[in-house]
Amino acid sequence: MPAIPPIPKTMRAAVTRGAGDVRIEEVPVPPYEPGLVLVKVAACGVCGTDIHILGGHMAPTWPPHYPFIQGHEWCGTVAAVGSACKTALKPGDRVIMEPTIGCGLCQNCRQGSYHLCLEAGKKGGGYKLLGHTADGAFSEYGVAPPTHLHKMPDRMTWEEAVITNQVVIALHALDRGRVEPADRVAILGPGLLGLSVLQLARAFGASRTYVTGRGYRLAIAQELGADVVIDVTKEDPVKVIMEDTGGRGADLVVECAGPPEAMKQALALARRGGRVVLEGINGGKEVPFPTDRIVLDEIALIGGRGSPNCYPRAIQLIMDGHIHTAKMLTHRFPLADFREAIRMFKAREDGVMRVMIEP
Ligand SMILES: [Zn+2]
Ligand SMILES: [Zn+2]
């Protein structure tokens, strides 16, 4: 095991000071006593949500204050364990951080739905979403409660650890939508979430998969095993999938895109008696739905968010070879180049999928 370096007083961090204003600064290493674990961050993924938070589109919910340290897809090596932590974790262990922290006391938390904690949004409540409502780790160190640090298998790479943060969301979407053997599964949106849903659906026994979207990401979907990819700029996905299924439609549709048009398509693609999981959010817009279709064709319309109770299973699925992370984690940047990383991720340059920062 490599030696654990002594913990310094200060660290480098990408500090968000206001909408669109992020600077690399020297800040105090976050306190971890008594109940938190201090982690030397090895990598932190840049997520689409980070772009919105940085742009100020979600303030004052995310972040609730400035200055703020973003970054919720992080992993690293345990540097110190708070004296009151009940945990087997010890310095030197490699861990993946799970960002959603429920209060642990409300009825939803006690039923395992800590991502739907009833204290969320309340000032001073126990709910936290690290990197959104409390500091994350585009920084050299991060802190989290021991319950939200998942130990990495020895042979897991940092790249795989970063991608785990998307696989967990895909896994929860499929927990909600229940892939059954021989299901035909349609996935709207070939982003990292859609590609994760695709690979898991195949692992869970889907007999045929469809991915709709545009651009270079569709080619990646094909490489990852999608049976049919549909470029929405050239073809109508509803027409293509209805024809391909003999007019029946998909058993399960997982919408990972967000725009109202995709939401409506998702419903139109489902077979009679089919299931639709909506994962995208579109900023509060109302989407008109043909409710008669939901009733008369018994469509189960299901929302999904976050990744409760998913990390250990996602780690296992990745280790068992069901997710090809190399096609998903495409770029690495040192913390000093944080702004360049954000710029190229936003511009979708160079076939970018996931970017990771190595502080
Ligand atoms: Zn994210
Ligand atoms: Zn709660």
Side-chain angles (χ1 to χ4, degrees):
M1 187 195 296
I4 313 292
I7 299 161
K9 292 258 182 305
T10 63
M11 64 176 184
R12 305 284 282 168
V15 179
T16 305
R17 295 213 149 258
D21 180 7
V22 62
R23 305 175 203 176
I24 306 301
E25 296 180 358
E26 194 76 19
V27 300
V29 168
Y32 61 91
E33 284 289 6
L36 299 174
V37 174
L38 181 71
V39 178
K40 176 80 176 72
V41 177
C44 185
V46 175
C47 165
T49 311
D50 286 311
I51 303 297
H52 289 296
I53 298 174
L54 178 57
H57 310 154
M58 289 162 158
T61 308
W62 301 343
H65 56 80
Y66 296 110
F68 188 81
I69 299 174
Q70 296 183 213
H72 56 273
E73 298 189 349
W74 56 266
C75 51
T77 306
V78 172
V81 179
S83 51
C85 291
K86 289 192 178 70
T87 178
L89 288 175
K90 55 187 186 312
D93 285 346
R94 299 188 315 141
V95 289
I96 306 175
M97 190 279 300
E98 174 175 359
T100 306
I101 303 172
C103 74
L105 299 171
C106 74
Q107 186 167 353
N108 280 5
C109 279
R110 285 172 182 267
Q111 289 176 196
S113 299
Y114 51 93
H115 64 310
L116 303 177
C117 174
L118 299 172
E119 292 293 313
K122 292 186 192 163
K123 279 240 175 339
Y127 173 87
K128 284 194 182 105
L129 188 52
L130 299 189
H132 300 68
T133 70
D135 277 348
F138 285 133
S139 51
E140 290 179 275
Y141 288 87
V143 287
T147 47
H148 285 63
L149 293 170
H150 299 278
K151 199 169 168 188
M152 291 167 57
D154 288 342
R155 62 195 172 85
M156 189 178 218
T157 64
W158 297 124
E159 286 81 359
E160 288 169 331
V162 168
I163 292 300
T164 303
N165 294 289
Q166 287 295 309
V167 176
V168 287
I169 299 172
L171 182 55
H172 181 58
L174 294 182
D175 280 347
R176 301 281 292 154
R178 306 182 326 274
V179 181
E180 285 165 19
D183 269 357
R184 288 166 171 163
V185 180
I187 298 147
L188 280 63
L192 222 53
L193 179 59
L195 295 180
S196 299
V197 170
L198 166 67
Q199 294 172 84
L200 290 182
R202 285 167 49 80
F204 297 168
S207 76
R208 195 160 172 81
T209 51
Y210 307 84
V211 176
T212 78
R214 67 185 74 202
Y216 61 87
R217 296 176 172 194
L218 274 185
I220 300 176
Q222 201 150 31
E223 288 169 27
L224 291 174
D227 294 298
V228 180
V229 297
I230 302 153
D231 183 337
V232 296
T233 64
K234 299 195 180 111
E235 289 178 295
D236 174 9
V238 178
K239 187 164 172 282
V240 173
I241 292 174
M242 281 301 164
E243 272 173 21
D244 194 81
T245 55
R248 186 167 184 255
D251 300 279
L252 173 65
V253 183
V254 185
E255 183 283 324
C256 309
E261 198 45 48
M263 299 269 168
K264 289 167 79 170
Q265 264 172 11
L267 186 60
L269 288 173
R271 70 161 166 88
R272 297 194 82 185
R275 307 175 303 283
V276 177
V277 178
L278 303 181
E279 285 278 331
I281 51 173
N282 63 56
K285 285 190 206 95
E286 286 193 12
V287 182
F289 269 143
T291 55
D292 282 357
R293 166 115 223 272
I294 296 171
V295 174
L296 299 175
D297 286 349
E298 289 199 344
I299 308 288
L301 191 57
I302 305 162
R305 73 171 295 180
S307 52
N309 313 302
C310 286
Y311 274 77
R313 282 180 297 150
I315 290 169
Q316 183 186 318
L317 285 158
I318 292 171
M319 288 293 92
D320 287 350
H322 297 294
I323 302 286
H324 297 278
T325 51
K327 291 195 191 304
M328 300 164 77
L329 195 305
T330 51
H331 293 75
R332 294 163 192 77
F333 288 89
L335 187 62
D337 294 341
F338 183 76
R339 275 191 293 225
E340 169 58 13
I342 294 285
R343 188 200 62 74
M344 72 86 59
F345 178 67
K346 238 168 116 173
R348 292 200 180 182
E349 279 176 10
D350 192 27
V352 66
M353 292 300 297
R354 188 50 107 232
V355 168
M356 79 184 202
I357 304 293
E358 296 172 294

